[in-house]
């Protein structure tokens, strides 16, 4: 029965949440995600090798697995940072306005067994969470923790290799940008290859509303109204 058909994304998310429920320490939670990722990749690979899955089913399942793992890492990292900065409820709500945008094979739901996950980190708007902590500072720390947790190895292996080179300004650009900052960048400096890369962009974790706003915001850049428009 385990190998008969692909597992739905909602099932994967619920199963991972069940596995994490009784664990309190973030590093132990990350290890549980590593084990889950290994287990599900083995199942997906077994279906594939037995001829029980199409290429499309395999790549979609691998992509769904990545989405679910990234969502859990985001939630764990966010909870740890909120506790570290002792954010009050009103400030804590603002910390949710963060989205992970999948690019490349992840964005196109075409992930294979050895793929990196290409992502962009965005947040809703500029502002301050405390008198000494800006949104940009907090979300930069959040992105750094997500990168560390996803790519770091333990006795359980790693979760994924993560690639951030498709973000605005590439390696030299900030790890996170607000929606306005992204819009200004693409309007003034965006290049043709970036238009092409954004065709596959898809919110994969974090706040769905902010992710949706990003996708809507880049549409005029990706699909120019006129053929001669730069």
């Amino acid at each position: 029965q385990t190998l008969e058909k692909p597992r739905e994304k909602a099932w994967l998310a619920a199963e991972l949440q069940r596995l994490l429920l009784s664990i309190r320490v973030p590093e132990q939670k990350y290890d549980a995600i590593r084990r889950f990722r290994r287990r599900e990749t083995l199942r997906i690979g077994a279906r594939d090798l037995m001829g029980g899955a199409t290429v499309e089913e395999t790549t979609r399942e691998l992509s769904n697995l990545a989405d679910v793992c990234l969502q859990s890492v985001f939630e764990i990292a966010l909870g740890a940072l909120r506790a570290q900065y002792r954010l009050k409820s009103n400030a804590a709500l603002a910390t949710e306005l963060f989205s992970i945008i999948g690019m490349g094979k992840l964005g196109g739901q075409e992930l294979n067994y050895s793929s990196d996950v290409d992502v962009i980190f965005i947040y809703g708007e500029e502002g301050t969470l405390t008198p000494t902590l800006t949104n940009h500072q907090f979300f930069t720390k959040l992105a750094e923790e997500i990168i560390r947790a996803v790519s770091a190895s333990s006795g359980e292996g790693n979760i994924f290799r993560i690639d951030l080179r498709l973000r605005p300004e590439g390696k030299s650009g900030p790890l996170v940008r607000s929606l306005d900052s992204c819009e200004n960048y693409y309007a003034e400096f965006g290049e043709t290859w970036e238009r092409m890369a954004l065709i596959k962009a898809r919110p994969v974790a974090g706040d769905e509303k902010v992710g949706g706003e990003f996708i809507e915001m880049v549409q005029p850049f990706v699909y120019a109204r006129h053929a001669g428009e730069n």
Side-chain angles (χ1 to χ4, degrees):
Q1 187 177 0
T2 300
L3 302 178
E4 276 181 9
K5 58 184 180 179
R7 285 176 169 166
E8 296 295 329
K9 185 175 178 178
W11 186 95
L12 292 170
E15 173 67 0
L16 182 52
Q17 286 304 308
R18 182 187 71 78
L19 294 171
L20 294 172
L21 198 58
S22 63
I23 305 172
R24 294 286 173 261
V25 180
E27 285 305 320
Q28 292 176 2
K29 285 178 178 278
Y30 295 142
D31 266 347
I33 296 171
R34 293 178 182 110
R35 286 192 295 272
F36 175 77
R37 199 272 305 170
R38 274 209 328 272
R39 187 192 86 183
E40 291 302 310
T41 301
L42 179 62
R43 177 189 58 78
I44 294 165
R47 288 191 73 238
D48 189 7
L49 285 170
M50 292 169 62
T54 65
V55 173
E56 289 77 13
E57 281 178 339
T58 299
T59 56
R60 183 174 290 271
E61 271 208 277
L62 289 167
S63 302
N64 285 344
L65 177 59
D67 290 2
V68 166
C69 290
L70 286 169
Q71 178 65 28
S72 286
V73 170
F74 158 73
E75 290 170 3
I76 296 162
L78 179 59
L81 275 179
R82 279 179 177 167
Q84 180 184 331
Y85 287 104
R86 298 176 182 174
L87 294 175
K88 295 180 180 176
S89 56
N90 57 344
L93 288 173
T95 64
E96 293 181 359
L97 303 179
F98 177 92
S99 181
I100 304 175
I101 306 296
M103 306 288 284
K105 288 186 174 69
L106 175 61
Q109 295 183 299
E110 303 157 342
L111 217 60
N112 61 45
Y113 298 106
S114 60
S115 296
D116 296 350
V117 291
D118 292 285
V119 297
I120 293 175
F121 298 116
I122 58 166
Y123 59 95
E125 59 188 19
E126 304 296 357
T128 57
L129 292 170
T130 73
T132 57
L133 183 67
T134 67
N135 289 7
H136 185 81
Q137 289 169 331
F138 180 86
F139 289 126
T140 296
K141 290 184 181 296
L142 178 57
E144 288 171 346
E145 174 59 11
I146 291 169
I147 293 164
R148 186 200 67 77
V150 170
S151 57
S153 290
S154 76
E156 302 290 349
N158 69 349
I159 301 176
F160 290 102
R161 296 189 311 274
I162 195 163
D163 192 331
L164 300 131
R165 289 175 294 179
L166 292 179
R167 70 186 188 271
E169 296 183 74
K171 283 183 179 180
S172 62
L175 283 180
V176 298
R177 282 182 184 266
S178 68
L179 288 170
D180 282 349
S181 176
C182 287
E183 186 171 27
N184 292 337
Y185 170 82
Y186 290 125
E188 293 185 34
F189 306 109
E191 298 183 25
T192 301
W193 70 265
E194 289 176 301
R195 290 179 191 259
M196 296 173 67
L198 285 165
I199 290 172
K200 291 186 177 181
R202 175 177 66 90
V204 297
D207 185 80
E208 290 182 12
K209 183 172 181 290
V210 170
E213 286 175 4
F214 174 84
I215 299 301
E216 186 177 342
M217 180 265 291
V218 299
Q219 292 311 295
F221 170 69
V222 177
Y223 302 105
R225 292 178 188 171
H226 308 291
E229 203 171 307
N230 293 323

